[in-house]
Amino acid sequence: MITTDRYLEPGIECAPRKELLADQEAQLLELVPYAYERAPLYRRVWDDAGVTPVDVRSIDDFIERVPLITKDMIREFRDRYSDRYSDPYGGLLCVDPKEITTIGSSSGTTGDPTFFPERWTESPPLPVGYMRALWEIGLRPGDSAITSSSTFRGYLHDMYSRLGVMPLMVDSWIGAWSNLMDVFERHRPAYVQIFAPFLPELNALSERYNLKSLFSSLKGVSYAGEPVPARMAARIRDEWDVEIYMYTSAGDTGVAFECGAHDGYHLWEDTVLAEHLALDGGAAAERTGVGELVCTSLDDLVAPLIRYRSDDLVRYTDDTCACGRTHARIWPVGRKGDETVIQGHSILPTEVWQIVEHLPETESGLFQIVRPERELPELRVRVGYDPAATTDLPGLDARLTSEISGRLGVPTTVELVPERELRERASVNKLPRITKS
Amino acid sequence: MTTGSTLLAASELPRASDWGLTWYPAAGSLCEYPVSWEDHERDCEWGTAMMRQAGVHDGTVVCLVSSGQHAAWTVPFAEGVRRLGGTVAFCDAWVWDANRLRTFLDRLPVHTVVGLNAIIAKALDETVGLAAALSGVAHVLPRQDALGLIDGAGDLAVGCFEMIGPAPAIRLPGDAGLRYDTAEWSLTDGRGTLAITTRGPRAHQVADVDLGIEGRVGDDGLVRFGS
């Protein structure tokens, strides 16, 4: 049953797709000439492809004619066509730099961060983009929520305040969760974000605290960056009785969150035109298959991403969700370029993950594929182990090596390191699963 | 536009009772610190005045190195930059964000860096060199723990940004000590460590709370760390 109090903006979140598409087309037809006139990267790329704004009269025209861009193209434009300071935005900027209010940036895991300039008066756009999801999780006026310790995309506390939710501004990063236990007990927060590097700490705290009781005020936690290890997800959901809402980046144009149906991550199609393209580029992917998410930001007039290849591999549907929302959903399955080829066998991090997290000493699922090159004669995996749960290091090494090589069918070398050491290699919220050394 | 429609939908909701609840260390424990909307507005007015004195104006770029839990101390400066027509670029205060700060410094005409701490300063020094990274920056207002490194990094206009209990404090280049908002707080040093008392009409009322920070308050009202 669909109830309207479930939605912050029911008229938009459950709009008929015909209306959504008409709205997208109207926004797109304004965006294309706007960007062509102002953003040097688009002018160059579209000119090279022989495309002008008058050629784009519909979404179909747009998809057929407008070229794709990549993060590397933005970086290349920034580096080649810019004197120092002249265009740090890689040819995307459509406004006078003096009009920029705040600058967030990408995580920087694949190179120097790229910039996300924002212009605003009332509230920065990123936290506003979270608000429908927070409402769906159940946050309501009078609740409190623990804010994120990370600020590289700007401060996020405003998204709570505007929903009438009190921000609890306390250190919630790696190593700080024992202090948070008192905050949970005294202030009964309804929401907190958790990330993979926190999980071993939560496991350790569960030995000393009754987390089910402490976490009973939570209406949900959100989790981003990578999949929750299966054993950990079961512990959070079943032992601690906490509902996990996964979320991910909507191709750098915003966020895509799970709803209570937990059947895909909702894109907000009044803000983004999402395409699901075959991995060889160009054509639409098979409807139920894996494709690359390509995004066009419809409500960013500062530095819009237009037909931006996210490198995110997703499954996709535009079928109406059980929650009643009509916006498209995605299921992330990995990143382009994550594939490692061992003697002709393709290996993805998710396959290693399932094996690593299966052993009690390594159940946190902390590992890296060490890959100086994409194709190698042997799979090398660096795995974090819990020293408190490990009495026989050589034995663990032998079991892991046997499990991985046996199940994946490739020769394997395992390098064991304490979890803590591996966690320290995590960046903003995730451990790079592929590393050159 | 989603931003507009979402803000409109949220405008019908009651806002949170306070701007936020945070914590600060006071002589070995953490003290709860509620910040009302009115407190926050006055803090932003003070932060704006400080940023104006730091030379921030229309189009000025300021890099802010911070953590979310320090928002009560840093947002007033970020908001000040916004009110003055400047731009704020955000970096986290963890070592892996040294490359983000380096990228900002390399790509943007950064006027002021606020909150640069020792671990990021050290990482910058070991990679590109602090003097090179910060060349062209008019003002560097680092955390106290980074001052030694930055002072030794060449001809830079260096001040300081710190959190003295609940009070944000700032020393602009050329100042003899740290300023704080004396309309809101009163700092004393009778025990050799700094103690704080609320002066303003704040949600957080404290009297002579020992912060456990070695420091002195000069006749000029400015704060100097150390004994």
Side-chain angles (χ1 to χ4, degrees), chain A residues 151-393:
Chain A
T151 64
F152 76 101
R153 291 297 307 271
Y155 289 100
L156 298 179
H157 58 270
D158 200 53
M159 65 192 183
Y160 304 114
S161 305
R162 289 186 181 277
L163 292 174
V165 173
M166 174 73 80
L168 304 176
M169 299 162 173
V170 59
D171 188 356
S172 57
W173 201 247
I174 302 165
W177 277 68
S178 66
N179 283 337
L180 276 183
M181 296 297 104
D182 184 53
V183 175
F184 273 98
E185 187 166 356
R186 287 168 56 82
H187 296 285
R188 311 302 293 146
Y191 173 77
V192 65
Q193 292 179 313
I194 58 175
F195 301 106
F198 303 174
L199 298 181
E201 191 174 351
L202 282 171
N203 260 334
L205 286 170
S206 70
E207 303 291 323
R208 292 165 43 207
Y209 294 92
N210 181 343
L211 293 187
K212 182 172 182 178
S213 171
L214 284 169
F215 290 169
S216 61
S217 59
L218 290 171
K219 294 179 175 176
V221 299
S222 61
Y223 187 101
E226 51 193 16
V228 191
R231 291 166 70 109
M232 195 67 201
R235 179 165 293 171
I236 294 170
R237 289 182 179 124
D238 302 334
E239 287 184 31
W240 304 339
D241 201 19
V242 174
E243 191 163 359
I244 306 169
Y245 292 83
M246 303 296 295
Y247 74 101
T248 188
S249 167
D252 285 343
T253 65
V255 288
F257 260 86
E258 281 190 329
C259 65
H262 299 290
D263 189 17
Y265 302 46
H266 284 275
L267 296 163
W268 296 121
E269 291 185 275
D270 53 326
T271 69
V272 62
L273 175 73
E275 299 173 60
H276 177 231
L277 296 189
L279 299 185
D280 56 2
E286 293 283 332
R287 184 168 171 81
T288 55
V290 172
E292 182 181 1
L293 180 66
V294 172
C295 287
T296 296
S297 49
L298 297 171
D299 68 342
D300 179 0
L301 296 180
V302 176
L305 291 169
I306 298 177
R307 298 209 82 207
Y308 174 69
R309 298 184 72 151
S310 69
D311 283 345
D312 289 328
L313 305 181
V314 299
R315 291 189 295 114
Y316 170 96
T317 183
D318 57 14
D319 292 343
T320 299
C321 179
C323 73
R325 292 181 177 85
T326 50
H327 296 241
R329 285 167 287 154
I330 55 172
W331 291 260
V333 297
R335 295 273 297 168
K336 264 171 64 182
D338 276 359
E339 180 188 58
T340 301
V341 178
I342 309 293
Q343 297 185 8
H345 293 268
S346 168
I347 307 292
L348 285 169
T350 47
E351 297 173 276
V352 177
W353 205 315
Q354 288 161 4
I355 300 167
V356 168
E357 70 176 16
H358 188 66
L359 300 184
E361 300 96 324
T362 59
E363 68 174 12
S364 296
L366 290 171
F367 74 92
Q368 295 181 304
I369 295 174
V370 182
R371 194 190 72 178
E373 296 164 29
R374 181 171 168 271
E375 296 190 30
L376 294 168
E378 180 182 68
L379 179 64
R380 186 177 158 206
V381 188
R382 179 180 294 132
V383 183
Y385 67 91
D386 176 2
T390 307
T391 53
D392 176 12
L393 212 52

Side-chain angles (χ1 to χ4, degrees), chain B residues 11-33:
Chain B
S11 69
E12 296 176 14
L13 302 170
R15 70 177 180 177
S17 55
D18 280 334
W19 179 78
L21 180 62
T22 189
W23 284 260
Y24 63 87
S29 63
L30 284 176
C31 189
E32 231 172 71
Y33 172 28

Side-chain angles (χ1 to χ4, degrees), chain A residues 14-32:
Chain A
C14 301
R17 286 204 62 77
K18 194 175 173 185
E19 278 180 26
L20 273 178
L21 295 176
D23 181 52
Q24 284 186 325
E25 189 162 85
Q27 291 190 70
L28 202 56
L29 295 183
E30 289 183 11
L31 177 66
V32 167

Side-chain angles (χ1 to χ4, degrees), chain B residues 184-224:
Chain B
E184 298 293 319
W185 310 103
S186 169
L187 286 164
T188 54
D189 61 5
R191 292 180 287 262
T193 53
L194 296 172
I196 195 157
T197 298
T198 310
R199 292 186 70 177
R202 302 187 71 92
H204 185 56
Q205 292 288 321
V206 289
D208 198 30
V209 169
D210 185 2
L211 298 173
I213 302 169
E214 281 193 1
R216 304 200 65 78
V217 183
D219 294 338
D220 52 8
L222 301 178
V223 176
R224 294 149 180 93

